[in-house]
Amino acid sequence: MNTLPELLTTQVALQQLISRALPKPFSCDLLKLDCALEVERICAVIREEVSHNFHKKGVVVGLSGGIDSSTVAALAARALGPERVLVLLMPEKDSSPETMRLSCLVAEHLGVRTSIEDISAILEVSGCYRRRDEAIRLLIPEYGPDWKSKLVLPKADSESLRILSIVAQAPDSTQITRPLSLEAHLGIIAATNFKQRTRKMLEYYYADRLNYAVAGTPNRLEYDQGFFVKLGDGAADLKPIAHLYKTQVYQLAHYLQIPREILERPPTTDTYSLPQTQEEFYFCLPYDKMDLVLYGKNHGYEPLEIAPEVGLTPEQVSHAFRDIAAKRRVAHYLHPPPVLVEDVS
């Protein structure tokens, strides 16, 4: 006999099969969900995996005050009950004050248990901030502890190489921008990755202590394009929204009645000390356009079909296709389990 998760998954798969069999003109409507059906399908999988396959009592979610982690926490609370969900708030000295405020707002709204772990001291001892600053000083020798910084990409409006730059702000608010050398780039990324890996370490501490599973929060755009740190925010026991485009995550968030302030907050990295959007750091387009371009590429639509719907030229869509392919090549390393010399299953 089929289980409820299997029946719901089959129902969604049949709908998708019928949709593919009857090609539709390209439009944003292609990303519209039956939210009630999708929420129940995800919740059924969470219940099945956590309780029956993992034999765990609940779920730990790292909460960032953003749409993805808020939606995962809401789904977990709906699936298991709020008393079986623990959300962790893990600020550090570079975090935006909004992150803590909005995370607390979501936790209170959902009625889930909360634990706060300021990870600044761990990062200080591990050398995260020192190593990052040393890498920045390769390009900006005067960079010091009272400075702030972020990494940015140029606009994706040409075929030129999109090389990251460092934007550094002095205590007097003067800003300096320098293109990143490979050595500085790798040094900064390696140092800041301490943040995601430290948070995941704490998530698994609480999961081990409570006999809980860890829920990851990437959406499909992030999962596909490698916008996560290996063994950092990329580590989890289950990833309930990794199959959903970010536009679809917003649909579920509306359906689940996530607080309006979360819905209206622009997606950020909240990793660097200067405010930074995900678009200027990683993606070549805003998430709503990026979703549509990625969907079009995944389903065989041509740039000429996609361009009018996303407000771009066919050449710009073709450029975005190439950017997607390039990031997938990088992301390939991030997804597989460790390589074994021979199968030991």
Side-chain angles (χ1 to χ4, degrees):
M1 176 180 283
N2 290 331
T3 64
L4 179 58
E6 288 171 336
L7 290 171
L8 289 166
T9 298
T10 300
Q11 185 176 354
V12 172
L14 285 172
Q15 290 178 345
Q16 292 173 342
L17 184 62
I18 293 169
S19 177
R20 286 195 292 268
L22 301 170
K24 297 179 180 179
F26 188 83
S27 77
C28 60
D29 291 340
L30 294 171
L31 291 179
K32 284 188 176 178
L33 288 174
D34 180 333
C35 289
L37 177 62
E38 187 61 29
V39 164
E40 186 48 45
R41 178 168 79 118
I42 294 171
C43 288
V45 170
I46 292 173
R47 285 190 290 268
E48 178 73 14
E49 294 299 325
V50 172
S51 300
H52 299 112
N53 292 342
F54 299 156
H55 304 290
K56 300 295 184 180
K57 294 181 178 179
V59 164
V60 172
V61 182
L63 204 56
S64 69
I67 194 72
D68 297 315
S69 63
S70 299
T71 301
V72 169
L75 289 165
R78 191 182 183 101
L80 303 172
E83 71 281 358
R84 294 174 62 191
V85 177
L86 174 70
V87 296
L88 291 184
L89 284 57
M90 296 172 281
E92 47 95 13
K93 70 177 188 178
D94 290 335
S95 299
S96 165
E98 282 291 278
T99 296
M100 177 63 76
R101 185 182 70 81
L102 293 174
S103 296
C104 290
L105 176 66
V106 172
E108 183 178 358
H109 174 75
L110 296 177
V112 295
R113 289 178 296 150
T114 304
S115 186
I116 300 174
E117 292 272 2
D118 190 315
I119 65 171
S120 300
I122 299 174
L123 296 176
E124 196 74 59
V125 171
S126 67
C128 169
Y129 304 121
R130 172 181 57 79
R131 298 172 203 267
R132 177 201 61 196
D133 293 355
E134 288 172 354
I136 294 173
R137 279 195 289 271
L138 293 173
L139 304 172
I140 306 172
E142 60 269 38
Y143 191 89
D146 296 331
W147 289 53
K148 295 183 178 182
S149 62
K150 64 178 177 178
L151 302 185
V152 297
L153 281 169
K155 293 292 185 182
D157 55 3
S158 72
E159 292 296 323
S160 59
L161 288 174
R162 301 182 73 224
I163 298 173
L164 279 163
S165 296
I166 178 78
V167 177
Q169 182 173 292
D172 64 0
S173 297
T174 302
Q175 289 195 347
I176 301 173
T177 302
R178 297 277 190 274
L180 283 179
S181 65
L182 179 60
E183 183 182 5
H185 179 194
L186 293 177
I188 293 168
I189 296 297
T192 54
N193 283 351
F194 273 107
K195 299 183 180 186
Q196 287 79 6
R197 291 185 175 124
T198 298
R199 291 187 174 108
K200 194 58 61 173
M201 174 182 70
L202 285 166
E203 288 176 37
Y204 272 99
Y205 162 75
Y206 280 92
D208 291 346
R209 186 167 67 80
L210 298 170
N211 194 27
Y212 277 17
V214 172
T217 63
N219 58 62
R220 186 173 190 145
L221 185 58
E222 294 169 347
Y223 189 79
D224 182 291
Q225 295 290 277
F227 187 53
F228 58 87
V229 174
K230 191 166 188 173
L231 302 181
D233 52 341
D237 299 313
L238 68 160
K239 297 180 179 181
I241 60 170
H243 63 295
L244 297 176
Y245 295 87
K246 194 166 186 91
T247 308
Q248 295 173 324
V249 177
Y250 274 97
Q251 292 175 46
L252 289 197
H254 277 281
Y255 177 82
L256 293 166
Q257 299 183 328
I258 298 298
R260 180 178 55 81
E261 285 187 81
I262 306 294
L263 296 170
E264 295 177 353
R265 187 188 192 190
T268 68
T269 62
D270 202 33
T271 296
Y272 295 89
S273 49
L274 283 176
Q276 179 193 55
T277 66
Q278 291 183 359
E279 180 190 351
E280 68 179 348
F281 175 66
Y282 198 79
F283 296 112
C284 64
L285 297 168
Y287 79 84
D288 52 341
K289 294 179 185 289
M290 196 70 210
D291 270 357
L292 286 168
V293 172
L294 181 62
Y295 181 94
K297 182 174 177 61
N298 287 344
H299 292 82
Y301 288 91
E302 296 297 325
L304 198 62
E305 300 175 89
I306 299 169
E309 190 67 20
V310 296
L312 300 172
T313 66
E315 291 74 20
Q316 288 172 318
V317 175
S318 295
H319 178 64
F321 272 15
R322 288 189 286 275
D323 191 71
I324 288 170
K327 286 189 170 66
R328 280 178 173 169
R329 287 192 292 272
V330 174
H332 177 72
Y333 159 76
L334 301 175
H335 287 291
V339 173
L340 305 180
V341 172
E342 66 175 73
D343 184 20
V344 294
S345 62

